[in-house]
Amino acid sequence: MSGGLAVQEWQRFAAPRFRTYHYLAMTQGVVAVLAGFDVVIPFALAVGTPPFIAVLLGVLPLAGGMAQLLVPRLLDRTEGNLRGLTIFVAAIAEPRGLYLALLALGAATGLITGPLLVLLLAIVVGLGSVLGSIATANLLSWHSAVLTDEERRLTVPRLMAVSLGVGAVLLLPMAFLLDAMVGAVGLYAYMIPFSVAGLFGVAEIFVLRRLRHPGRVIVPPPPAPADAEPTPELDSFLSFSGVNALGMGVAPAMSVFTISVVGLSAGFSMLVASIGTLTMVGAAAYFGAKLTHGSSSRMLRNSFAIRAAAMFSPLLALPAAPFAPIFLIASAMLGAVGFASGSLAANERLFRLISGPAVIRHHARYLARTSGAMTAGQLGGAAVIALGGPLGYPAFAALYATSATLRVIAFRQATVASAVPALTAPRLEPGRA
């Protein structure tokens, strides 16, 4: 795509008719970063959470993907009220920064300590992530219901780019601020990012209420067993997506590795995350424009190769080595490019393979399968870290190497499947059964 055309599409997205989507991107970006794992894991480690428990916190959000299987039933019970269901779960999940701020206050004052603090942190992270995942996935169906295919391909990638950009702009100064303030005021410092995230989470609920009503979205019942077999294209897509998700789960959180193994500060960990997020902004903008008129399957396939390289880079980040920070930053940047291109391509590929209101049911299957694979990977990774914790670097290196290998396998599977022609799916219409 030419640069001029890309600029024109960004100008189209900047039009007043998309203003509500601009607000949505802003609020989601703040919540995702300041109440996300880039801040939560350093906080968890700061209050004494063992590294393998900190890794297990990452398992909790994956339940949100598996919970998507409940969405068709919930829509049926609410007579297709996608809007009401989405706003309800978002109203509980998106202000989670306020809950985290209260935990930080309790930890700083000594009112909440030890296992109780870790348990409450797990509950907040788990509940917020599960419901937030449902709300985010439902929004994809909401966009599909109120936007034409052309508008969706214009809007969704740019939503992602703007959201990431907002988050990165906040995370970079927050990393320096936390490093400076933790030494002065201790755990009280974490109340700042969490409180800001909570306030923007409340604002997000009001933004959702301003989105165009999707109407009644009725998910058709599952087909008879004889007709329920997935198409070869969808079956292949689910297969290599599951392998990639397993690789994603096996890889331990970079912040845990950075702080507990390489020995760098929480502020540097957040700095690495900010650089990765800024990279993801550019990647989302570039690949979003490319995807509008390009091949989603090719982009998805290439994202696996990029993510394999991202998992190889931490192997070179030896503890106490002066060049370790460089490889950590390189891993974050490569991972950001692979994640941005892969996420956009996977969502678009799903919409091109799945037809009509059934997109919600099949999208739930996709999320449940990938979330299950990531859960299995993270449980295995946490077990390796728990057992090999005294080894330090070797245990983490084995997991990163395994993650890279699984991404190579996914790339090979996707390459074989690339010869299968894609199906073009009609747009999801509100109220169509």
Side-chain angles (χ1 to χ4, degrees), residues 69 155 179 220 324 388 410:
L69 292 173
T155 302
D179 253 5

Side-chain angles (χ1 to χ4, degrees), residues 368-381:
R369 177 173 294 200
T370 53
S371 297
M374 282 191 283
T375 300
Q378 287 202 329
L379 290 174

Side-chain angles (χ1 to χ4, degrees), residues 231-242:
T231 63
E233 298 92 337
L234 183 58
D235 189 54
S236 296
F237 172 81
L238 292 174
S239 176
F240 57 69
S241 293

Side-chain angles (χ1 to χ4, degrees), residues 15-264:
R17 64 186 298 259
F18 293 112
R19 188 63 47 80
T20 305
Y21 291 97
H22 304 161
Y23 297 145
L24 179 63
M26 180 181 299
T27 54
Q28 286 183 328
V30 175
V31 173
V33 170
L34 297 187
F37 283 100
D38 293 333
V39 182
V40 167
I41 287 185
F43 171 69
L45 294 173
V47 298
T49 304
F52 79 95
I53 296 293
V55 170
L56 281 177
L57 287 176
V59 176
L60 301 174
L62 302 178
M66 291 182 279
Q68 283 296 313
L69 292 173
L70 299 174
V71 171
R73 183 176 300 177
L74 291 173
L75 282 173
D76 183 56
R77 282 179 166 272
T78 58
E79 298 182 347
N81 188 2
L82 178 65
R83 178 180 184 272
L85 178 62
T86 303
I87 292 176
F88 174 74
V89 297
I92 301 173
E94 295 309 279
R96 59 187 176 273
L98 297 178
Y99 320 146
L100 292 168
L102 290 175
L103 282 182
L105 176 61
T109 58
L111 294 176
I112 310 175
T113 59
L116 176 60
L117 176 60
V118 176
L119 175 62
L120 291 176
L121 179 62
I123 291 173
V124 171
V125 170
L127 183 63
S129 299
V130 167
L131 296 180
S133 175
I134 292 176
T136 299
N138 281 2
L139 276 172
L140 288 174
S141 300
W142 191 335
H143 300 329
S144 183
V146 300
L147 300 171
T148 65
D149 284 345
E150 181 183 3
E151 288 174 331
R152 172 173 53 79
R153 290 169 186 165
L154 174 76
T155 302
V156 173
R158 286 156 188 81
L159 269 175
M160 180 179 181
V162 174
S163 177
L164 291 169
V166 170
V169 167
L170 282 175
L171 187 58
L172 188 59
M174 194 65 68
F176 293 106
L177 179 64
L178 273 181
D179 253 5
M181 292 194 63
V182 165
V185 299
L187 295 174
Y188 287 106
Y190 284 94
M191 293 183 63
I192 299 173
F194 291 150
S195 298
V196 173
L199 293 175
F200 273 83
V202 173
E204 183 181 339
I205 309 307
F206 292 95
V207 174
L208 290 175
R209 292 174 60 88
R210 295 183 58 182
L211 287 176
R212 187 160 29 125
H213 202 300
R216 293 174 63 247
V217 179
I218 305 298
V219 182
D227 302 322
E229 292 298 323
T231 63
E233 298 92 337
L234 183 58
D235 189 54
S236 296
F237 172 81
L238 292 174
S239 176
F240 57 69
S241 293
V243 173
N244 173 68
L246 181 62
M248 186 181 297
V250 165
M254 188 66 67
S255 54
V256 177
F257 178 66
T258 300
I259 297 171
S260 64
V261 176
V262 184
L264 298 172

Side-chain angles (χ1 to χ4, degrees), residues 223 227-242 300 346-355 358-367 369-370 417 420-423 425:
D227 302 322
E229 292 298 323
T231 63
E233 298 92 337
L234 183 58
D235 189 54
S236 296
F237 172 81
L238 292 174
S239 176
F240 57 69
S241 293
L300 182 60
N347 283 331
E348 183 59 30
R349 185 67 176 159
L350 270 173
F351 280 115
R352 294 180 185 181
L353 288 173
I354 302 170
S355 60
V359 66
I360 295 176
R361 176 162 43 81
H362 287 290
H363 191 228
R365 287 179 54 215
Y366 162 72
L367 289 175
R369 177 173 294 200
T370 53
V420 179
L423 299 177

